[in-house]
Amino acid sequence: QQQVRQSPQSLTVWEGETAILNCSYEDSTFNYFPWYQQFPGEGPALLISIRSVSDKKEDGRFTIFFNKREKKLSLHITDSQPGDSATYFCAARGTQVVGQLTFGRGTRLQVYA
Amino acid sequence: ETAVFQTPNYHVTQVGNEVSFNCKQTLGHDTMYWYKQDSKKLLKIMFSYNNKQLIVNETVPRRFSPQSSDKAHLNLRIKSVEPEDSAVYLCASSYPGTGGSEQYFGPGTRLTVL
């Protein structure tokens, strides 16, 4: 049973376009959603996160939109740059076990110049 | 800037051997984790440990065990490796007070079992 789903599996955009990465979840106790960015050969790095009490979180070119009713969220990357090419993971934390994150399978983003 | 350190970067071994991977964090965090990332990049929690409590994912085979000397170190031992253990093993730690949500990852150890 996959608790966190991501789509698309891979995404290609041109430099300057907005990339939209989608995430949905099933567990209604999930209340914190971090997004991680992973480059080849490296560990995931925390990019941006949102708590379930908010519907939007912005940090520079990265914005999370959160819809609690539909259990969906999305990561928007505006003015995409070739350096943004990486795999992006949506994760979720609930109240069942402190600290434990459930990860989606990731979206591989390719930005062409 | 890497603050979670893992060694070795790569390890190749034969089925049935024992391996051990090291992890150290210099962030002053109180909780550390081990994740397994498979060939399709799926990340799965294996263990979390904070000096007081070890939480084991029930799907983790018993041949895996965490070993901690202090809160800055959490090593991973695999007693008798199997081919399906080939993966990248990622160590992470979390900041006190965030409920473990802000996790910082090391670069990973890639294990290949022949």
Side-chain angles (χ1 to χ4, degrees), chain A residues 1-7 22-35 50-55 64-74 90-96 101-105:
Chain A
Q1 181 188 8
Q2 193 175 344
Q3 297 248 28
V4 177
R5 289 190 172 88
Q6 289 187 247
S7 64
N22 300 304
C23 180
S24 64
Y25 63 97
E26 297 178 5
D27 191 335
S28 57
T29 67
F30 285 157
N31 57 14
Y32 174 77
F33 303 88
W35 284 82
I50 192 167
R51 300 191 184 277
S52 58
V53 293
S54 301
D55 55 14
I64 300 174
F65 293 93
F66 179 67
N67 185 324
K68 188 173 183 178
R69 183 178 60 83
E70 295 186 8
K71 296 182 185 174
K72 291 181 178 179
L73 56 159
S74 60
C90 173
R93 184 205 71 186
T95 56
Q96 66 281 23
L101 295 174
T102 301
F103 282 82
R105 290 183 174 269

Side-chain angles (χ1 to χ4, degrees), chain A residues 2 32 34 36 38-46 49 51 87 89 93 97-106, chain B residues 33 35 37-38 40-45 47-48 55-57 90 94 98-108:
Chain A
Q2 193 175 344
Y32 174 77
Y36 283 81
Q38 186 177 29
F39 295 105
E42 298 181 10
L46 180 63
S49 62
R51 300 191 184 277
T87 299
F89 292 96
R93 184 205 71 186
V97 180
V98 173
Q100 286 208 8
L101 295 174
T102 301
F103 282 82
R105 290 183 174 269
Chain B
Y33 311 83
Y35 287 84
Q37 187 169 40
D38 63 22
K40 296 183 179 179
K41 290 204 170 281
L42 179 62
L43 275 157
K44 281 192 173 178
I45 182 77
F47 305 99
S48 63
I55 299 174
V56 181
N57 184 324
L90 290 157
S94 63
T98 63
S101 302
E102 294 185 9
Q103 296 186 14
Y104 294 79
F105 285 81

